[in-house]
Amino acid sequence: MLLHPVRLVPLAFLAVIAVGAGLLMLPAAHRTLQPEPFLAAIFTSVSAVCVTGLATVDTATFWTPFGQGVILGLIQVGGFGIMTLATLLALLVRKTIGLRGQLIAQSETHTLNFGDVRSVIFGVARIMVLFEATTAAVLTVRFWISYDHNPLTALWHGVFHAVSAFNNAGFALYSDSLISVAGDPWIIVPICAAILAGGLGFPVLIFLLRGGVRVKDWTVHMRLTIYGSLILLAAGAALFAAF
């Protein structure tokens, strides 16, 4: 009963959250014992896997580079979809996918046709790599040239914030979040673009990248997502400016 695809997805999320919390509780993952590492680890693991962006400790100072790397991995796994990732790895190793695997992948990628699952999963992986790598490249160059970071630090900051942005995770490697770079369009604009792209969701991005740019070809889901996002962005910006 527990292996039913619909039940397996939340169980997989809980398992990854538990593993992530265990790794974050290791002495190598945090710099201080205040607040209690156990509660901080549990909360941070849940927040990272479920990409909510909430934090009870300062990501920049409480966690070590190892701990920050664990958070980055949890964000990536949660954003990609745990069962989608497992199905992708099975496809790469076995070159095939069973009925249960297809049902699991469908529940994660919201596809209806069995024949579409394989192409959707690889499409999701390619899109994620494309957006995250492009954003990370721009951020890395900017951090390196303008913020006096050495190349490795600039690369780490670029990759972390690109992954966090595309997966709408909200984690940052600065104690003030991104306030210190709020006036730098070379950082803020790529991050905004990555957040918007990730927020649209993989089904919409896949359809658009496959040439579905004509409005008359859009599905109800496409229209609701794109028009809804544009309306909320415009209305939100206008309200912030007005108040």
Side-chain angles (χ1 to χ4, degrees):
M1 182 174 65
L2 293 179
L3 293 181
H4 188 283
V6 175
R7 299 185 183 94
L8 190 57
V9 171
L11 288 175
F13 270 85
L14 289 174
V16 172
I17 287 170
V19 172
L23 292 174
L24 291 175
M25 282 189 284
L26 294 175
H30 51 82
R31 295 187 174 97
T32 176
L33 297 179
Q34 296 296 331
E36 173 60 46
F38 173 75
L39 290 177
I42 290 290
F43 190 95
T44 302
S45 183
V46 171
S47 183
V49 171
C50 299
V51 290
T52 65
L54 297 174
T56 56
V57 295
D58 183 357
T59 305
T61 59
F62 185 85
W63 304 110
T64 65
F66 172 76
Q68 293 167 356
V70 172
I71 293 171
L72 180 66
L74 294 174
I75 292 170
Q76 189 73 86
V77 172
F80 186 64
I82 294 169
M83 301 313 301
T84 305
L85 182 61
T87 304
L88 175 62
L89 293 176
L91 282 173
L92 292 175
V93 173
R94 298 184 303 179
K95 307 298 183 182
T96 185
I97 179 173
L99 177 60
R100 177 178 295 161
Q102 292 191 44
L103 290 172
I104 291 170
Q106 281 183 294
S107 67
E108 280 288 285
T109 57
H110 308 292
T111 56
L112 298 176
N113 189 337
F114 281 130
D116 291 337
V117 172
R118 183 188 182 98
S119 61
V120 167
I121 291 175
F122 280 101
V124 167
R126 285 193 293 267
I127 289 172
M128 177 171 277
V129 171
L130 171 65
F131 279 94
E132 290 181 353
T134 301
T135 305
V138 176
L139 295 180
T140 298
V141 172
R142 188 61 173 176
F143 283 131
W144 182 21
I145 294 176
S146 301
Y147 291 88
D148 199 29
H149 292 323
N150 63 59
L152 286 179
T153 301
L155 177 62
W156 169 237
H157 283 220
V159 170
F160 188 96
H161 291 99
V163 172
S164 181
F166 182 74
N167 292 286
N168 286 208
F171 284 89
L173 294 180
Y174 301 103
S175 296
D176 64 352
S177 188
L178 296 178
I179 294 175
S180 59
V181 297
D184 189 344
W186 287 100
I187 292 180
I188 296 302
V189 172
I191 288 179
C192 284
I195 292 172
L196 178 59
L200 289 176
F202 291 115
V204 173
L205 293 176
I206 290 174
F207 189 83
L208 291 175
L209 292 176
R210 286 178 175 175
V213 294
R214 295 188 302 175
V215 176
K216 67 178 183 179
D217 295 331
W218 290 359
T219 63
V220 173
H221 172 74
M222 289 279 296
R223 294 172 189 271
L224 286 174
T225 303
I226 294 177
Y227 289 149
S229 297
L230 292 176
I231 291 171
L232 289 172
L233 286 171
L239 289 172
F240 270 116
F243 290 110

